[in-house]
Amino acid sequence: MAIKKDISQAVIKRLPRYYRSLKLLSSENIKKVSSKELAEMLDITASQVRQDFSNFGEFGQQGYGYDVDKLKLEFEKIIGIDKTYNMIIIGAGNLGKALNSYSGFVSSGFNIISLFDIEDKSNENILSIDSLTKNFIEENSIDIAIITVNSDSAQSIADKLVKCGVKNIWNFAAIDLDVPKDVNIENMFMSDSLFVLTYKMNH
Amino acid sequence: MAIKKDISQAVIKRLPRYYRSLKLLSSENIKKVSSKELAEMLDITASQVRQDFSNFGEFGQQGYGYDVDKLKLEFEKIIGIDKTYNMIIIGAGNLGKALNSYSGFVSSGFNIISLFDIEDKSNENILSIDSLTKNFIEENSIDIAIITVNSDSAQSIADKLVKCGVKNIWNFAAIDLDVPKDVNIENMFMSDSLFVLTYKMNH
DNA sequence: TAGATTGTTAATCGATTAACAATC
DNA sequence: TAGATTGTTAATCGATTAACAATC
């Protein structure tokens, strides 16, 4: 899947939305979909759908549209969810534990290997942060680390993860982490989202 | 705070980021900041900072910059976090419970009034969905409902919330909810975020 | 075949960046 | 005063939309 030019952030953020619609259509046993229909589902224009898709290849057929299941598979390849990933969680607070026990991950190919905490909670099957080593990351082929510690400790955890060779971080702490540019970060800033909501309420 | 023209979504999404930087500066007892310094913190241009601010007023002083604490207060007014809000959570799974016990909300003026669930879990101080009525919303002045049920039940819960007069929904279910246009929705699509991360990993 | 719909090129729109006069 | 930095106008850039030839 050699991609010519850089895909814009705007397009990348729409990929999961396309995928969600395709999953929905597929689950309803719908076989074909046009750019116009997809556009309506995402509340964008048909032009944009076709423009977006053209970044990755030619998936449709003139006069017909797109085969839902085929397109869904293409999107799984594009997003990279045709593979499985091993994850660890750092921070065994309420959120960390909630993510740890969320079964939806496993069914989508995301396996949580272990849950770490700064404080010693070894009684609850939670590992001490001291056992988080380069060795551990390598032996367990950890692809993604999820940070759910509080924002004060998040940067030092990120530093440690980077040192251990983690290349992908899913960050829930309300702070912009500073990491080398070969490390991917994706933030889930909950309070930012809540603030956008309060902004809208007030205007 | 009469705002002339419509503020673009791009600007609105930056507001919480400005606010986070201002909180950080304030906590470090820094008194003044220039658009250039703020720009470096957010990794944008100084021009954009000034352009963004000009949507809301004139907060700076030529030759000096911005007073950190004054600007922070302005942002609290703009975002609307100079007030307090009452919230309820629908869905007492792991995530709902985690949000329910997250103390960070209270300190920022977001009070969680109660937690509901579709299944009867009344032994755990969790209310039955049947007690979620228009009356309840009004008597408790509920401003925001947080949806943490699974995506299958999310739309019917949203319908019920709308019927009860809820005007603002913070949605954690992986589905685009259909609500009247006077109801504000802000989505926290976790899997979308995770998929953006896997996309980046693979490209 | 006629109708429908793609993929792509060109036009438009909006957001970001640059420039600079105003002024603290 | 001289230097710094704002707020704003103009220029640029990139993303979205429109149009249409290709073709199933």
Side-chain angles (χ1 to χ4, degrees), chain B residues 37-94:
Chain B
E37 290 162 336
L38 268 172
E40 274 160 22
M41 294 180 78
L42 295 237
D43 206 21
I44 54 179
T45 63
S47 236
Q48 185 162 53
V49 171
R50 296 200 299 278
Q51 195 71 277
D52 283 354
F53 289 8
S54 73
N55 284 296
F56 302 99
E58 309 191 357
F59 307 128
Q61 197 168 313
Q62 278 110 326
Y64 175 80
Y66 304 88
D67 178 288
V68 169
D69 288 315
K70 185 174 159 293
L71 192 57
K72 177 166 166 281
L73 279 170
E74 291 290 351
F75 267 85
E76 284 168 5
K77 272 193 280 181
I78 292 167
I79 297 174
I81 39 182
D82 52 340
K83 311 171 192 147
T84 63
Y85 299 94
N86 293 331
M87 312 196 291
I88 54 174
I89 301 176
I90 327 294
N94 293 309

Side-chain angles (χ1 to χ4, degrees), chain B residues 104-116:
Chain B
F105 285 143
V106 184
S107 57
S108 341
F110 294 91
N111 305 309
I112 296 171
I113 302 300
S114 39
L115 175 59
F116 294 85

Side-chain angles (χ1 to χ4, degrees), chain B residues 114-131:
Chain B
S114 39
L115 175 59
F116 294 85
D117 201 273
I118 301 174
E119 290 170 45
D120 191 9
K121 299 179 179 171
S122 47
N123 51 324
E124 304 173 59
N125 232 21
I126 294 166
L127 301 181
S128 150
I129 198 76
D130 299 325
S131 47

Side-chain angles (χ1 to χ4, degrees), chain A residues 7 20 78-79 83 85 94 101 168 170 176 185-186 189-190 192-193 198-203, chain B residues 7 20 78-79 83 85 94 101 168 170 176 185-186 189-190 192-193 198-203:
Chain A
I7 310 297
R20 253 191 290 125
I78 292 168
I79 297 174
K83 310 170 193 152
Y85 298 94
N94 294 309
S101 51
N168 305 286
W170 197 22
D176 279 299
I185 296 239
E186 179 63 23
F189 289 150
M190 297 211 205
D192 283 26
S193 169
T198 61
Y199 174 85
K200 288 186 198 158
M201 292 170 64
N202 287 282
H203 293 92
Chain B
I7 311 296
R20 252 191 290 125
I78 292 167
I79 297 174
K83 311 171 192 147
Y85 299 94
N94 293 309
S101 52
N168 304 287
W170 196 23
D176 278 300
I185 295 241
E186 179 63 23
F189 290 150
M190 297 211 207
D192 282 25
S193 169
T198 61
Y199 174 86
K200 288 187 198 158
M201 293 170 62
N202 287 281
H203 294 91

